[in-house]
Amino acid sequence: MDRFMLEKRFIEIVERCYASLEDPCCLEEAHDLIGQSIGADAGDIVTEASFSNSIETHGSFGFDPDFLKNYDSEFLGKNPWAENLALLSRNRFHTDAEDSPDFARSAYFNEWVRPQGFHHSVGAILNEDAGQVTWVGYVRNAGRTPFEAEIAFLGRLLPHLRRTVSLSNRISCLHGEWASLSAVLSALKLPVLVVDGAQKVVFLNEAAERFLRRSRQVGTTRSGVLTATGAAGERLRVALDRAARILDRADMPPDRTILVEDDREAVAATVIPLCGWQTATVPAGRAAVVLCRFDPETMPDLSAFAARHGLTETETELARHIACGKGVADFAQQKGIAASTVRWHLKNLEAKAGVSRVEQLVAAIHASILPVANGATEAVIHRLGGDPSLS
C-alpha cells in the first residue's frame, strides 16, 4: 500500500474508532481495516474480566472458531502473551521479539497459537481498570516475516484506540448509572423530575407526571422547559441555572427550595444538583427537582426546625403560620397582638434561621419539612448522579 493510500486508510480507521462510540460495530470495522493495512492473518480486540471470568470480543478475524471455544475454556484469564504485554510499556505496540523466554514453552503457544500456524505477533494494552484488561493483537503465519515497518503505523493509531476504549467504558458506566438512577426515581412516591442544562425535563417519575397534570403553579413549556408561576418562576430559573454549573458539593448554593403559592395551595420545589451528568450519550441531567404540595390550611410539624434553631413557642407558631402562606396581619389578629410586635418576632426568627428575607425563611422552613430533608433521598440522588463527595 503506497503512502497516500496508507494515510487515507489511517484517517478512515480513526473515524471508525470514534464512530464506534455510537455504533459499536464500527470498532470491529476499524479493527478489520487495521489488519488489512498491516498485512495481518488474524487479530482481535478483547476485554477480559478476571473478577467475572468473562470475555467481550470487540473485533476478531482469522482465528479458527473451534480454537476460540477452547480459548474461553482453557486460557481465559491465563493468557501469558497478554500478561507479558501488561509488564511492558503501555505507550506503544510490542512485537514477538519482546515475548518472555518462557512464552514459546507455554501451553498457550503450543496448544493454541502454533497449531493454527501463527508465529509472529504484535500487540498492546488499551485499557486496564477494576479487574479487567482490554488488549489488541495481530498475528502472521509462521512462513511470513515479522512485523517491523508496520509498527510506526500502529503507533500512530494507538492513542486513538486507547481513547476509544476509555470513552466507551465511561459511556457504558453512565448508561448503567442512569438506568439505576431512573429505577430509583421511578420507585419513589415523591414527585421527582430531572432537568438538563437548558432546564428541559429529561426524566420524570409517575408521581411527578400526576403532580404536573394537577398543578397550577408548576409546569412545562411546549419545548419541555420547567416553569413556575409568578415571581417564583424567576427564582426557580436561577436555582436551576446555578445547579447546572455546580461541579461538586463545595459549590452547593444555600437556598435550594423555591416556594410557589397562590390563594389555594403552596408548592415547594427543591433543586438538587446532579454532579457528573454532562454527556450527550445519556439524558444530560444537571438537576433533580423534588416537588411537594402544601395545603395552606394544614399546619406542618416544625418541631425539628424549631429545635435546630432554638425557636421560642411564639416564633415556632409564627414560622408555621408563614409556612402555610399566611401574613403578618393575620397572625397579629389571631394572637391579639400588634403587627409591630409580630414583625419584631419575625426579625428574630429570620436571624435564628440565618436568613434576611421572608421568602428565604419560607424556603428554609419548607426545606426542613420536605421528605428529602433527612438527606436519604437526596443522598441517593447525589450518589447515582455522580457526586464525588459521596463516592
Side-chain angles (χ1 to χ4, degrees), residues 367-386:
S368 72
I369 58 179
L370 279 173
V372 295
N374 60 11
T377 301
E378 186 171 355
V380 169
I381 293 173
H382 274 305
R383 188 174 185 86
L384 292 174

Side-chain angles (χ1 to χ4, degrees), residues 267-318:
V267 173
T270 297
V271 178
I272 304 174
L274 294 178
C275 309
W277 283 95
Q278 192 69 25
T279 173
T281 310
V282 296
R286 298 301 295 155
V289 181
V290 182
L291 302 172
C292 191
R293 180 180 285 108
F294 293 92
D295 184 343
E297 300 303 320
T298 300
M299 303 300 280
D301 180 10
L302 297 188
S303 56
F305 181 80
R308 184 181 308 116
H309 298 291
L311 304 186
T312 66
E313 182 177 345
T314 300
E315 289 166 349
T316 302
E317 290 182 13
L318 178 57

Side-chain angles (χ1 to χ4, degrees), residues 151-193:
I151 301 301
F153 179 77
L154 291 171
R156 293 176 61 200
L157 287 172
L158 183 56
H160 300 288
L161 288 168
R162 295 184 66 180
R163 185 64 174 159
T164 296
V165 172
S166 176
L167 289 172
S168 178
N169 289 345
R170 179 57 182 154
I171 289 170
S172 178
C173 288
L174 288 173
H175 275 298
E177 290 170 1
W178 175 253
S180 299
L181 175 61
S182 300
V184 170
L185 298 185
S186 296
L188 293 176
K189 294 182 179 179
L190 284 169
V192 182
L193 49 84

